[in-house]
Amino acid sequence: MALLVQKYGGTSVGTVERIEAVADRVLKHKRQGDDIVVVVSAMSGETNRLIELAKNIQAAPDTREMDVLLSTGEQVTIALLSMALLKRGLDARSYTGSQVRITTDNAHGKARIQKIDTEAMRADIDAGRVIVVAGFQGADELGNITTLGRGGSDTTGVALAAALKADECQIYTDVDGVYTTDPRVVDSARRMDKITFEEMLEMASLGSKVLQIRAVEFAGKYQVPLRVLSSFSEGEGTLITTEENENMEQPAVSGIAFNRNEAKLTLKGVPDTPGIAARILGPISDANIEVDMIVQNVSADGTTDFTFTVDRNDHDKALSILKGIEGELGARTVMSDAKIAKVSIVGVGMRSHAGVASSMFRALAKESINIQLISTSEIKVSVIIGEKYLELAVRALHSAFKLSDSAAGVSEE
Amino acid sequence: MALLVQKYGGTSVGTVERIEAVADRVLKHKRQGDDIVVVVSAMSGETNRLIELAKNIQAAPDTREMDVLLSTGEQVTIALLSMALLKRGLDARSYTGSQVRITTDNAHGKARIQKIDTEAMRADIDAGRVIVVAGFQGADELGNITTLGRGGSDTTGVALAAALKADECQIYTDVDGVYTTDPRVVDSARRMDKITFEEMLEMASLGSKVLQIRAVEFAGKYQVPLRVLSSFSEGEGTLITTEENENMEQPAVSGIAFNRNEAKLTLKGVPDTPGIAARILGPISDANIEVDMIVQNVSADGTTDFTFTVDRNDHDKALSILKGIEGELGARTVMSDAKIAKVSIVGVGMRSHAGVASSMFRALAKESINIQLISTSEIKVSVIIGEKYLELAVRALHSAFKLSDSAAGVSEE
């Protein structure tokens, strides 16, 4: 008898029929003897509907009130799912984030969970009750409603699983697992049975939108086994664990991630003096713009070129900040390009395989794709290329690293 | 400087534009130096949308979960209105029923307010803050979300006004006051400047849907001056107070109320023995059917006829209960009629005017309208007539009691 936390996303509860299907699935697991805590998102479309209402009043509404508004989305779902479970003869009870005592800081719209009081939940579980919790939300110490930010229902699921020491946190979504790359781009993309937290983190942050990155971090930190699976079909999904794959030769590259929502900005000819990076990025971070890649090359003639990427929505704001400071920094010029894409190869096996990066560059060169920027970590290599080459690059890399076969490995040309 | 509790109903906050108009009105009052606590309903249509979702899962959904679901309607409105107030430079803050500590019993769907903790609200008011409270909802001692039942936002407004000792509770709605009767039935129906709590109670319970009856009871009990006025136009509305009208000769009849949602049931020829009424109505009340009029006439030959009215939706259920018990009661037969209507004349002046009832019966007789049942209280006379005569009866009575003129009085034929 296992304790499972099951999280169902917006499309999995998008209609009353879908909610009934979720109830059937919970019933099946319950009958198998498992204890179930369910975490749900707002019905798909609902969050956008609420945002639209608020935007009709003000472009940037008060963040406290925005949380009061958005938290209703999940509240609707917990009530409807509990009704569907009760109809099936299960003892079920819904809880909002504040009712179940998910205490967060007061950073409205992007609150972080500080503690979860599990006592009441334990009593419910011991009584055989299915608990249905609203994802994405909590309350601060004063009782103000907070939200964890978009996609935060995954984080709720993992946090509950960690607090309750659940055997597994199952994330039900509209895909049946984590793929070697986006199947819409590469037909032969393959579902992975297992992936490590580190790999998943790189996949998630690079644009494989299966799981929210904070949830993966959380799961890794608290060693909560995380499984991604489809609420629309049966199947084992993809298990995300700390264990690396021991049963076969570790492939060097597990998957290809990409992101087409970035923009690139460059300050050319800035004096190569200590502290210059901080003086460039300080104003950017003060404006709440998140920076992804940062590349600074070796200096020539006492000046250097400094390049970074931001979310494409922040491009205009970042550019005007750079224009404002280029004079005082003594830069030669500011350049930017929003028509770029990032492609990354990810794999824990890279650590023990030499030559993975050069295999990547060779595969791209063969397709005459120019690499604009390169950035590496222990388990990934990312490049920035022209946006129009994205699909070509992903397919070339997927094939070069033989990811379609289950015995994936480094390509040997 | 007055403390006003302003309650805005569903049509008054039915769109973002209407919410902006409410914010303008609050701003105007605030600029005049008043302190404002706002209570809002769900946007019109929202509650029905939520009920529809639940009914798609189960015809009679769990009442605890229904409250979790329905309470989201008002929560959306408080967030949007607070945003609109903040946009106007007012310091505003939203509170759900549980956040503002409206503690109720745990009768889900029809909970009663037990206490309101005003300390935090007082601090907000003293800080010049506009408080926006979700109507219709609270939480029980354990933190479970409860609702006060349909139309319960009026009750929230009055309860807050009583707890805060507000100078006035203003109920904004889509009509500009309380009328002598429904203007859709009688063109010349007149808005009353003032009406007593007792009269308003009779008008409300008899189908003048302006105010929820519990709110009027509450206001009368705690002597909260209550004003009904339109959120769509300017005007003084109708003030409901304990003071009877002293400035002019008290008219005997203040208004004509009616209700076409009742059904009549009769047990004929039941033995006229002590306890028979309880034996008939016990099973009815056990089935949670509310009884309105009860009429039992003097007995002949040791048997009597026992008639009562219920909401038309409960007709079938009540009839089958009577069929089930008629044998054991020794009744001759059971009859019922759903095509009836109730018409009532209401006025505190009746207490000091003789002949009001007979004027009523004369006016109906003149139109050849047969009276099926009569029931009276100190300040009203109600009759049951055939449903098809309803409009005719209301118009005849409105004219007979000269309610179109501001100097209304007993009709003298």
PDB file of all heavy atoms in Angstrom, chain A residues 1-27:
ATOM      1  N   MET A   1       0.844  -1.198   0.000  1.00  0.00           N
ATOM      2  CA  MET A   1       0.000   0.000   0.000  1.00  0.00           C
ATOM      3  C   MET A   1       0.875   1.241   0.000  1.00  0.00           C
ATOM      4  O   MET A   1       1.656   1.468   0.915  1.00  0.00           O
ATOM      5  CB  MET A   1      -0.887  -0.011   1.246  1.00  0.00           C
ATOM      6  CG  MET A   1      -2.012   0.974   1.148  1.00  0.00           C
ATOM      7  SD  MET A   1      -3.181   0.801   2.537  1.00  0.00           S
ATOM      8  CE  MET A   1      -2.522   1.970   3.698  1.00  0.00           C
ATOM      9  N   ALA A   2       0.750   1.996  -1.062  1.00  0.00           N
ATOM     10  CA  ALA A   2       1.614   3.169  -1.220  1.00  0.00           C
ATOM     11  C   ALA A   2       0.813   4.447  -0.991  1.00  0.00           C
ATOM     12  O   ALA A   2      -0.405   4.464  -1.126  1.00  0.00           O
ATOM     13  CB  ALA A   2       2.209   3.181  -2.624  1.00  0.00           C
ATOM     14  N   LEU A   3       1.515   5.504  -0.614  1.00  0.00           N
ATOM     15  CA  LEU A   3       0.902   6.833  -0.549  1.00  0.00           C
ATOM     16  C   LEU A   3       1.330   7.602  -1.796  1.00  0.00           C
ATOM     17  O   LEU A   3       2.522   7.857  -2.003  1.00  0.00           O
ATOM     18  CB  LEU A   3       1.338   7.572   0.718  1.00  0.00           C
ATOM     19  CG  LEU A   3       0.926   9.036   0.818  1.00  0.00           C
ATOM     20  CD1 LEU A   3      -0.592   9.197   0.707  1.00  0.00           C
ATOM     21  CD2 LEU A   3       1.413   9.657   2.125  1.00  0.00           C
ATOM     22  N   LEU A   4       0.360   7.909  -2.637  1.00  0.00           N
ATOM     23  CA  LEU A   4       0.652   8.591  -3.896  1.00  0.00           C
ATOM     24  C   LEU A   4       0.077  10.007  -3.883  1.00  0.00           C
ATOM     25  O   LEU A   4      -1.074  10.209  -3.473  1.00  0.00           O
ATOM     26  CB  LEU A   4       0.018   7.838  -5.073  1.00  0.00           C
ATOM     27  CG  LEU A   4       0.392   6.362  -5.259  1.00  0.00           C
ATOM     28  CD1 LEU A   4      -0.363   5.792  -6.465  1.00  0.00           C
ATOM     29  CD2 LEU A   4       1.893   6.215  -5.453  1.00  0.00           C
ATOM     30  N   VAL A   5       0.872  10.961  -4.303  1.00  0.00           N
ATOM     31  CA  VAL A   5       0.336  12.295  -4.574  1.00  0.00           C
ATOM     32  C   VAL A   5       0.180  12.394  -6.082  1.00  0.00           C
ATOM     33  O   VAL A   5       1.150  12.203  -6.818  1.00  0.00           O
ATOM     34  CB  VAL A   5       1.279  13.404  -4.056  1.00  0.00           C
ATOM     35  CG1 VAL A   5       0.765  14.771  -4.484  1.00  0.00           C
ATOM     36  CG2 VAL A   5       1.403  13.331  -2.542  1.00  0.00           C
ATOM     37  N   GLN A   6      -1.045  12.622  -6.531  1.00  0.00           N
ATOM     38  CA  GLN A   6      -1.298  12.688  -7.969  1.00  0.00           C
ATOM     39  C   GLN A   6      -1.684  14.118  -8.340  1.00  0.00           C
ATOM     40  O   GLN A   6      -2.637  14.667  -7.797  1.00  0.00           O
ATOM     41  CB  GLN A   6      -2.442  11.748  -8.353  1.00  0.00           C
ATOM     42  CG  GLN A   6      -2.147  10.284  -8.022  1.00  0.00           C
ATOM     43  CD  GLN A   6      -3.185   9.336  -8.585  1.00  0.00           C
ATOM     44  OE1 GLN A   6      -4.366   9.681  -8.681  1.00  0.00           O
ATOM     45  NE2 GLN A   6      -2.749   8.144  -8.967  1.00  0.00           N
ATOM     46  N   LYS A   7      -0.949  14.688  -9.261  1.00  0.00           N
ATOM     47  CA  LYS A   7      -1.264  16.052  -9.682  1.00  0.00           C
ATOM     48  C   LYS A   7      -1.810  16.027 -11.111  1.00  0.00           C
ATOM     49  O   LYS A   7      -1.214  15.423 -12.004  1.00  0.00           O
ATOM     50  CB  LYS A   7      -0.016  16.923  -9.599  1.00  0.00           C
ATOM     51  CG  LYS A   7      -0.275  18.367 -10.005  1.00  0.00           C
ATOM     52  CD  LYS A   7       0.147  18.629 -11.421  1.00  0.00           C
ATOM     53  CE  LYS A   7      -0.335  19.973 -11.931  1.00  0.00           C
ATOM     54  NZ  LYS A   7       0.148  20.218 -13.304  1.00  0.00           N
ATOM     55  N   TYR A   8      -2.986  16.654 -11.285  1.00  0.00           N
ATOM     56  CA  TYR A   8      -3.619  16.710 -12.600  1.00  0.00           C
ATOM     57  C   TYR A   8      -3.640  18.149 -13.089  1.00  0.00           C
ATOM     58  O   TYR A   8      -4.172  19.040 -12.414  1.00  0.00           O
ATOM     59  CB  TYR A   8      -5.039  16.155 -12.535  1.00  0.00           C
ATOM     60  CG  TYR A   8      -5.077  14.672 -12.221  1.00  0.00           C
ATOM     61  CD1 TYR A   8      -5.164  14.215 -10.912  1.00  0.00           C
ATOM     62  CD2 TYR A   8      -4.990  13.739 -13.246  1.00  0.00           C
ATOM     63  CE1 TYR A   8      -5.169  12.859 -10.619  1.00  0.00           C
ATOM     64  CE2 TYR A   8      -4.992  12.379 -12.969  1.00  0.00           C
ATOM     65  CZ  TYR A   8      -5.091  11.944 -11.656  1.00  0.00           C
ATOM     66  OH  TYR A   8      -5.090  10.600 -11.377  1.00  0.00           O
ATOM     67  N   GLY A   9      -3.083  18.369 -14.255  1.00  0.00           N
ATOM     68  CA  GLY A   9      -2.985  19.717 -14.820  1.00  0.00           C
ATOM     69  C   GLY A   9      -4.280  20.180 -15.472  1.00  0.00           C
ATOM     70  O   GLY A   9      -5.287  19.468 -15.494  1.00  0.00           O
ATOM     71  N   GLY A  10      -4.225  21.382 -16.022  1.00  0.00           N
ATOM     72  CA  GLY A  10      -5.408  22.063 -16.553  1.00  0.00           C
ATOM     73  C   GLY A  10      -6.156  21.299 -17.631  1.00  0.00           C
ATOM     74  O   GLY A  10      -7.383  21.227 -17.603  1.00  0.00           O
ATOM     75  N   THR A  11      -5.435  20.683 -18.592  1.00  0.00           N
ATOM     76  CA  THR A  11      -6.152  19.965 -19.640  1.00  0.00           C
ATOM     77  C   THR A  11      -6.727  18.660 -19.097  1.00  0.00           C
ATOM     78  O   THR A  11      -7.755  18.195 -19.567  1.00  0.00           O
ATOM     79  CB  THR A  11      -5.230  19.654 -20.843  1.00  0.00           C
ATOM     80  OG1 THR A  11      -4.047  19.038 -20.359  1.00  0.00           O
ATOM     81  CG2 THR A  11      -4.859  20.921 -21.583  1.00  0.00           C
ATOM     82  N   SER A  12      -6.099  18.096 -18.060  1.00  0.00           N
ATOM     83  CA  SER A  12      -6.597  16.852 -17.472  1.00  0.00           C
ATOM     84  C   SER A  12      -7.912  17.067 -16.719  1.00  0.00           C
ATOM     85  O   SER A  12      -8.632  16.121 -16.434  1.00  0.00           O
ATOM     86  CB  SER A  12      -5.564  16.257 -16.506  1.00  0.00           C
ATOM     87  OG  SER A  12      -4.351  16.019 -17.174  1.00  0.00           O
ATOM     88  N   VAL A  13      -8.204  18.320 -16.351  1.00  0.00           N
ATOM     89  CA  VAL A  13      -9.457  18.635 -15.658  1.00  0.00           C
ATOM     90  C   VAL A  13     -10.226  19.719 -16.418  1.00  0.00           C
ATOM     91  O   VAL A  13     -11.009  20.466 -15.852  1.00  0.00           O
ATOM     92  CB  VAL A  13      -9.198  19.106 -14.199  1.00  0.00           C
ATOM     93  CG1 VAL A  13      -8.620  17.976 -13.365  1.00  0.00           C
ATOM     94  CG2 VAL A  13      -8.277  20.316 -14.148  1.00  0.00           C
ATOM     95  N   GLY A  14      -9.997  19.758 -17.743  1.00  0.00           N
ATOM     96  CA  GLY A  14     -10.516  20.862 -18.555  1.00  0.00           C
ATOM     97  C   GLY A  14     -12.018  20.889 -18.749  1.00  0.00           C
ATOM     98  O   GLY A  14     -12.586  21.928 -19.088  1.00  0.00           O
ATOM     99  N   THR A  15     -12.676  19.747 -18.579  1.00  0.00           N
ATOM    100  CA  THR A  15     -14.127  19.683 -18.724  1.00  0.00           C
ATOM    101  C   THR A  15     -14.672  18.783 -17.609  1.00  0.00           C
ATOM    102  O   THR A  15     -13.904  18.080 -16.947  1.00  0.00           O
ATOM    103  CB  THR A  15     -14.534  19.043 -20.073  1.00  0.00           C
ATOM    104  OG1 THR A  15     -14.060  17.688 -20.082  1.00  0.00           O
ATOM    105  CG2 THR A  15     -13.941  19.792 -21.253  1.00  0.00           C
ATOM    106  N   VAL A  16     -15.981  18.817 -17.439  1.00  0.00           N
ATOM    107  CA  VAL A  16     -16.599  17.933 -16.456  1.00  0.00           C
ATOM    108  C   VAL A  16     -16.307  16.477 -16.808  1.00  0.00           C
ATOM    109  O   VAL A  16     -16.034  15.662 -15.919  1.00  0.00           O
ATOM    110  CB  VAL A  16     -18.120  18.203 -16.381  1.00  0.00           C
ATOM    111  CG1 VAL A  16     -18.832  17.072 -15.663  1.00  0.00           C
ATOM    112  CG2 VAL A  16     -18.382  19.529 -15.673  1.00  0.00           C
ATOM    113  N   GLU A  17     -16.298  16.144 -18.097  1.00  0.00           N
ATOM    114  CA  GLU A  17     -16.014  14.769 -18.517  1.00  0.00           C
ATOM    115  C   GLU A  17     -14.591  14.367 -18.113  1.00  0.00           C
ATOM    116  O   GLU A  17     -14.350  13.256 -17.663  1.00  0.00           O
ATOM    117  CB  GLU A  17     -16.163  14.617 -20.045  1.00  0.00           C
ATOM    118  CG  GLU A  17     -17.603  14.739 -20.559  1.00  0.00           C
ATOM    119  CD  GLU A  17     -18.143  16.159 -20.443  1.00  0.00           C
ATOM    120  OE1 GLU A  17     -17.352  17.128 -20.585  1.00  0.00           O
ATOM    121  OE2 GLU A  17     -19.353  16.316 -20.177  1.00  0.00           O
ATOM    122  N   ARG A  18     -13.660  15.281 -18.297  1.00  0.00           N
ATOM    123  CA  ARG A  18     -12.273  14.992 -17.926  1.00  0.00           C
ATOM    124  C   ARG A  18     -12.162  14.813 -16.407  1.00  0.00           C
ATOM    125  O   ARG A  18     -11.406  13.975 -15.922  1.00  0.00           O
ATOM    126  CB  ARG A  18     -11.326  16.116 -18.396  1.00  0.00           C
ATOM    127  CG  ARG A  18     -11.182  16.278 -19.906  1.00  0.00           C
ATOM    128  CD  ARG A  18     -10.575  15.085 -20.597  1.00  0.00           C
ATOM    129  NE  ARG A  18      -9.393  14.583 -19.902  1.00  0.00           N
ATOM    130  CZ  ARG A  18      -9.030  13.318 -19.852  1.00  0.00           C
ATOM    131  NH1 ARG A  18      -9.755  12.391 -20.456  1.00  0.00           N
ATOM    132  NH2 ARG A  18      -7.966  12.955 -19.193  1.00  0.00           N
ATOM    133  N   ILE A  19     -12.897  15.632 -15.667  1.00  0.00           N
ATOM    134  CA  ILE A  19     -12.864  15.511 -14.204  1.00  0.00           C
ATOM    135  C   ILE A  19     -13.400  14.142 -13.772  1.00  0.00           C
ATOM    136  O   ILE A  19     -12.872  13.493 -12.876  1.00  0.00           O
ATOM    137  CB  ILE A  19     -13.648  16.673 -13.557  1.00  0.00           C
ATOM    138  CG1 ILE A  19     -12.864  17.981 -13.732  1.00  0.00           C
ATOM    139  CG2 ILE A  19     -13.926  16.405 -12.075  1.00  0.00           C
ATOM    140  CD1 ILE A  19     -13.614  19.227 -13.323  1.00  0.00           C
ATOM    141  N   GLU A  20     -14.462  13.688 -14.463  1.00  0.00           N
ATOM    142  CA  GLU A  20     -15.005  12.358 -14.167  1.00  0.00           C
ATOM    143  C   GLU A  20     -13.953  11.277 -14.458  1.00  0.00           C
ATOM    144  O   GLU A  20     -13.834  10.298 -13.721  1.00  0.00           O
ATOM    145  CB  GLU A  20     -16.253  12.099 -15.020  1.00  0.00           C
ATOM    146  CG  GLU A  20     -17.405  13.084 -14.786  1.00  0.00           C
ATOM    147  CD  GLU A  20     -18.396  12.597 -13.728  1.00  0.00           C
ATOM    148  OE1 GLU A  20     -18.076  11.659 -12.970  1.00  0.00           O
ATOM    149  OE2 GLU A  20     -19.509  13.170 -13.672  1.00  0.00           O
ATOM    150  N   ALA A  21     -13.198  11.467 -15.534  1.00  0.00           N
ATOM    151  CA  ALA A  21     -12.162  10.492 -15.877  1.00  0.00           C
ATOM    152  C   ALA A  21     -11.072  10.460 -14.798  1.00  0.00           C
ATOM    153  O   ALA A  21     -10.558   9.394 -14.453  1.00  0.00           O
ATOM    154  CB  ALA A  21     -11.558  10.819 -17.250  1.00  0.00           C
ATOM    155  N   VAL A  22     -10.727  11.631 -14.277  1.00  0.00           N
ATOM    156  CA  VAL A  22      -9.741  11.684 -13.191  1.00  0.00           C
ATOM    157  C   VAL A  22     -10.286  10.943 -11.970  1.00  0.00           C
ATOM    158  O   VAL A  22      -9.573  10.167 -11.324  1.00  0.00           O
ATOM    159  CB  VAL A  22      -9.399  13.155 -12.839  1.00  0.00           C
ATOM    160  CG1 VAL A  22      -8.621  13.220 -11.526  1.00  0.00           C
ATOM    161  CG2 VAL A  22      -8.595  13.801 -13.963  1.00  0.00           C
ATOM    162  N   ALA A  23     -11.578  11.156 -11.680  1.00  0.00           N
ATOM    163  CA  ALA A  23     -12.190  10.472 -10.536  1.00  0.00           C
ATOM    164  C   ALA A  23     -12.122   8.950 -10.714  1.00  0.00           C
ATOM    165  O   ALA A  23     -11.855   8.214  -9.766  1.00  0.00           O
ATOM    166  CB  ALA A  23     -13.638  10.940 -10.363  1.00  0.00           C
ATOM    167  N   ASP A  24     -12.356   8.490 -11.949  1.00  0.00           N
ATOM    168  CA  ASP A  24     -12.254   7.045 -12.228  1.00  0.00           C
ATOM    169  C   ASP A  24     -10.849   6.537 -11.937  1.00  0.00           C
ATOM    170  O   ASP A  24     -10.660   5.461 -11.374  1.00  0.00           O
ATOM    171  CB  ASP A  24     -12.599   6.763 -13.700  1.00  0.00           C
ATOM    172  CG  ASP A  24     -14.096   6.834 -13.953  1.00  0.00           C
ATOM    173  OD1 ASP A  24     -14.868   6.651 -12.990  1.00  0.00           O
ATOM    174  OD2 ASP A  24     -14.490   7.086 -15.110  1.00  0.00           O
ATOM    175  N   ARG A  25      -9.854   7.324 -12.343  1.00  0.00           N
ATOM    176  CA  ARG A  25      -8.466   6.907 -12.147  1.00  0.00           C
ATOM    177  C   ARG A  25      -8.127   6.847 -10.649  1.00  0.00           C
ATOM    178  O   ARG A  25      -7.471   5.915 -10.187  1.00  0.00           O
ATOM    179  CB  ARG A  25      -7.533   7.879 -12.869  1.00  0.00           C
ATOM    180  CG  ARG A  25      -6.121   7.396 -13.009  1.00  0.00           C
ATOM    181  CD  ARG A  25      -5.301   8.388 -13.807  1.00  0.00           C
ATOM    182  NE  ARG A  25      -5.649   8.374 -15.222  1.00  0.00           N
ATOM    183  CZ  ARG A  25      -5.000   7.643 -16.133  1.00  0.00           C
ATOM    184  NH1 ARG A  25      -4.003   6.863 -15.769  1.00  0.00           N
ATOM    185  NH2 ARG A  25      -5.345   7.684 -17.404  1.00  0.00           N
ATOM    186  N   VAL A  26      -8.595   7.855  -9.913  1.00  0.00           N
ATOM    187  CA  VAL A  26      -8.333   7.870  -8.471  1.00  0.00           C
ATOM    188  C   VAL A  26      -9.002   6.658  -7.817  1.00  0.00           C
ATOM    189  O   VAL A  26      -8.414   5.981  -6.969  1.00  0.00           O
ATOM    190  CB  VAL A  26      -8.842   9.189  -7.840  1.00  0.00           C
ATOM    191  CG1 VAL A  26      -8.778   9.119  -6.319  1.00  0.00           C
ATOM    192  CG2 VAL A  26      -8.036  10.376  -8.362  1.00  0.00           C
ATOM    193  N   LEU A  27     -10.238   6.388  -8.257  1.00  0.00           N
ATOM    194  CA  LEU A  27     -10.970   5.233  -7.712  1.00  0.00           C
ATOM    195  C   LEU A  27     -10.193   3.941  -7.944  1.00  0.00           C
ATOM    196  O   LEU A  27     -10.066   3.099  -7.045  1.00  0.00           O
ATOM    197  CB  LEU A  27     -12.357   5.147  -8.382  1.00  0.00           C
ATOM    198  CG  LEU A  27     -13.240   3.966  -7.962  1.00  0.00           C
ATOM    199  CD1 LEU A  27     -13.621   4.059  -6.484  1.00  0.00           C
ATOM    200  CD2 LEU A  27     -14.510   3.900  -8.823  1.00  0.00           C
TER     201      LEU A  27
END
